Amino acid sequence: MKKLYSIITIVSLALPANAQLTLQQCQEKARQHYPAIAQYDLLEKTRELTLANASHSYLPQILVGAQATWQNAVASLPEALSGMMSAQGMEIPGIRKDQYKL
């Protein structure tokens, strides 16, 4: 009985090895299905799109972007330091809460 299971296992493992396609078989299948590709005119459409994309690559491109942010907490100088500087007549403005970038 063990011998029968061994033989069945070996045969079942050997069968899937023949299921792989060779390069020649792939080329033959491509030749068989070529009329379907030609029927839908896919090759001509691909060529047209490639040429259209190539002609657009030389056009100038403009990119415009903008950003606005508002922070609820920003860094500032300590009270003691800003008090000393204002006593000497120097005003250092802090960072604004709103920022804009174009």
Side-chain angles (χ1 to χ4, degrees), residues 11-57:
V11 170
S12 66
L13 290 175
L15 288 177
N18 294 333
Q20 295 179 358
L21 293 176
T22 64
L23 182 59
Q24 289 80 14
Q25 290 171 333
C26 288
Q27 290 173 345
E28 183 59 36
K29 286 188 182 284
R31 282 189 205 98
Q32 289 171 358
H33 293 291
Y34 178 76
I37 294 172
Q39 175 187 359
Y40 293 115
D41 205 22
L42 295 177
L43 297 175
E44 182 62 28
K45 289 178 184 176
T46 303
R47 185 184 70 78
E48 289 173 5
L49 286 174
T50 303
L51 291 176
N53 288 339
S55 67
H56 288 115
S57 66

